Amino acid sequence: MSIILSVLIFFPLVGVLLILIAGRKEGRDEAIKWIALGTSVITLLISVAVLIGFRNGFPGLQMVDRFDWIPFLNIQYFVGVDGISILMILLTAFISMIAILASWTAIDHQIKTYYILMLLLEIGMMGVFLAQDLFLFYIFWEFTLIPMYFLIGMWGGQERVYASIKFFLYTMAGSLLMLLAILYMGITNNSFSVPDLIAGRDAFASAQYVLFIGFAIAFAIKVPIFPFHSWLPDAHTQAPTAGSIVLAGVLLKMGTYGFIRFNLPLFPEASFDYAPAIAVLAIIGIIYGALVSFPQKDVKKLVAYSSISHLGFVMLGIFSLNAAGIEGGILQGVNHGLSTGALFFLVGVIYEQRHTREMSEFGGLWKVVPVFTALSLVVVLSSMGLPGLNGFVGEFSILLGSMGAYSLGGHPWIYTAFATTGVILAAVYLLWMFQNVFMGALKNPKNEKLRDVNKRELVIFIAFLIFIVWIGVQPSPYFNLMDSTVSTLVNDISATVLVGQ
C-alpha cells in the first residue's frame, strides 16, 4: 500500500484552498498566480518521485492504493501506475505547469476562479490516468468536463459559449454509453476493479462487441476520431491559449489512453475484429485533418485540424495490436502533447500582441522577432516529424507496427502506405503556415512593433524544446518505461485471439 499516487492526484487541492483564502489586498492577483504555479511545480516534482520509484521491467500495477469505498456496491478507491500510464502522468504534470505559466499575462479578469479551475482540471486528469476502478475512473472522466467547460466559456474567444456547450454535450453524450457498459460489467462480475474484470472477462464475453462500442464511442469522441471530430476545431479556436495547450496536451490523450487501458484488455477479440475498421477511420482522419488544415486562414484553427491528423497516427498504432505500434502510439501521444502544445503557445504569444490569428496579417516576422522565429521553426519541424526530433520517433514506430500488424489482415502495408501520405501532407501545411507567418517581406507596419520573446516565454519554449530534442535523439528511456506492460498486453491479446480462432 502506497499513498504517493493519491498525494499526486489530490495535491492541487492544497493550491485551491490557498487561493480560496487569499485576501483581497493589493497584489492578491500576483500572489494567486504564484500559488498556482508553485502548486503545479510541486505536483510535477511528485510525479518525478513516482518515476524514480517506478520499476522498469515489472508489467503489473505499482504503488497501488486500494480500499473499499462503497462496499455494498463493490466500488473501491483503487489507483495504480504501470507502463501504460507513467508517461501520461508525467505529461499531465508538465503540461499543467506550462499552461499556468503561459496564462501569466494572458488572463486579466476573474483570476482567482481561473487558477482554481486549472488546478481542479489537473486533479481530474491525474485521476483518469491512475484510476483502476471503473466507477472511480468515470467520476474523474466526467469531472474534467466541468473545469474545461468554464475555461472555454469564460475566457475564450467571441464564440466561446457555443464552443463550450458543443464540447460539453459531445463528450457527455458519448460518456453515457460508456456508463451503461460499465454498469453491465460491474453487475455481471460483481466488481468494478479493472484487473478483476480482465481476469473475469469470460463472464461478459458474449456481449463484448456491444460493450466495446460503448467504450469506443466515448473515447473516439475524446480523441477525436473521424467522424466524431467536429467539436474539436471550435473548442481549440475559442479556448484561451492555456486551455488549448491542456486540451491538446492531455485531454485528447484521455481518449487514446482509454482504448489501451480498457478496450484492448477487456475486449481482446472485439479489438482484433474491429481493428481494420478503426484503422480505416484513423487513416481517413490522418488525410482529412491534413487536407483541411492546408486552406485554413486562422493559424490556431490550422493547428486544431492538424491534431485530428496526428492523433489518427496514434489510433493506427494502437490498433496494430503489436508492441511497436502500441508503444509508438503512446509515445506519439506524448509527442503530440509537446509539439502541438508548443504550437498553440506560439500562436498565443503572437495573439497577445496583435489580437489576430489571421495569416494574412503577418509575414516577414523573422526580421522583427528572430529568436521567436528560430524557436518556432524547431517546433514546426518537430510537429511535421523531422528526423532527430520527437515526432519522427513516434511516427516511425507506428508505421513499423502497422506494416507488420496481423490485426489488419493479409495486406497491412496498404494501411501503412496511405498513412505515410499524412507525413508528406503535414510538411506541406506546416511549412506553408511558417512561410506565410514568418518568412517573406515585412509588409504590415503593425508588425514592426512586435517584441521578441521575454524571459517567461523563453523558459516555456526551452522546456518544450528539451523534451522535443531529447525524445528525438534518445527515445530508449521512454520505450523502456512501456516495454514490459505493453508486451504483456500484446501477448494476452494474441493468446486470446488465437484460442478464439
Side-chain angles (χ1 to χ4, degrees), residues 103-378:
S103 308
W104 211 261
T105 55
I107 303 301
D108 56 9
H109 66 282
Q110 298 194 57
I111 288 172
K112 191 172 192 174
T113 306
Y114 176 84
Y115 285 102
I116 286 174
L117 290 171
M118 287 293 288
L119 292 175
L120 290 175
L121 182 58
E122 185 173 12
I123 292 171
M125 295 186 299
M126 281 294 185
V128 164
F129 293 126
L130 292 172
Q132 299 298 328
D133 180 279
L134 281 177
F135 183 84
L136 182 65
F137 166 79
Y138 189 80
I139 289 175
F140 282 125
W141 176 273
E142 293 294 89
F143 179 76
T144 58
L145 297 181
I146 300 167
M148 183 53 72
Y149 168 80
F150 285 110
L151 287 169
I152 298 172
M154 295 175 68
W155 292 275
Q158 291 183 345
E159 297 178 15
R160 59 186 180 273
V161 175
Y162 167 76
S164 61
I165 292 173
K166 190 174 183 180
F167 160 76
F168 192 91
L169 291 179
Y170 258 74
T171 45
M172 175 67 86
S175 300
L176 292 177
L177 292 174
M178 179 169 67
L179 177 60
L180 291 174
I182 289 171
L183 290 171
Y184 178 86
M185 290 192 298
I187 292 169
T188 303
N189 286 58
N190 206 30
S191 174
F192 291 93
S193 161
V194 176
D196 293 348
L197 289 171
I198 293 171
R201 64 192 176 204
D202 288 344
F204 50 82
S206 60
Q208 68 169 301
Y209 289 88
V210 176
L211 296 172
F212 179 98
I213 291 172
F215 277 85
I217 289 176
F219 299 145
I221 291 170
K222 184 69 82 175
V223 172
I225 301 171
F226 179 92
F228 303 103
H229 64 280
S230 66
W231 66 268
L232 181 68
D234 292 318
H236 265 318
T237 307
Q238 297 303 318
T241 297
S244 295
I245 292 172
V246 173
L247 190 57
V250 184
L251 285 180
L252 305 187
K253 309 312 171 310
M254 286 165 47
T256 56
Y257 169 83
F259 277 107
I260 301 170
R261 172 65 70 198
F262 303 111
N263 286 66
L264 300 193
L266 288 170
F267 323 114
E269 290 174 320
S271 297
F272 181 83
D273 290 340
Y274 284 131
I278 293 176
V280 168
L281 292 178
I283 290 168
I284 292 172
I286 290 170
I287 298 171
Y288 167 82
L291 291 176
V292 177
S293 293
F294 184 74
Q296 297 303 319
K297 301 183 186 303
D298 183 317
V299 183
K300 199 173 187 184
K301 189 162 277 191
L302 181 148
V303 178
Y305 276 109
S306 77
S307 287
I308 299 169
S309 183
H310 287 135
L311 287 161
F313 277 103
V314 177
M315 290 304 300
L316 177 63
I318 292 169
F319 281 89
S320 297
L321 299 185
N322 54 38
I326 294 173
E327 289 185 31
I330 294 171
L331 186 62
Q332 191 62 5
V334 174
N335 292 337
H336 174 265
L338 295 169
S339 299
T340 306
L343 283 173
F344 278 120
F345 175 67
L346 75 85
V347 173
V349 171
I350 297 174
Y351 183 78
E352 267 193 68
Q353 298 186 62
R354 281 295 322 277
H355 300 290
T356 180
R357 297 186 297 262
E358 295 293 318
M359 279 192 272
S360 59
E361 288 288 316
F362 299 103
L365 295 191
W366 67 276
K367 295 180 180 178
V368 185
V369 286
V371 176
F372 178 66
T373 301
L375 295 169
S376 299
L377 177 61
V378 179

Side-chain angles (χ1 to χ4, degrees), residues 452-467:
D452 217 332
V453 288
N454 58 31
K455 291 180 181 178
R456 176 182 59 85
E457 292 161 352
L458 185 61
V459 166
I460 293 173
F461 268 118
I462 289 173
F464 276 122
L465 293 181
I466 286 171
F467 291 101

Side-chain angles (χ1 to χ4, degrees), residues 82 389 480:
D82 62 7
L389 299 176
N480 291 342

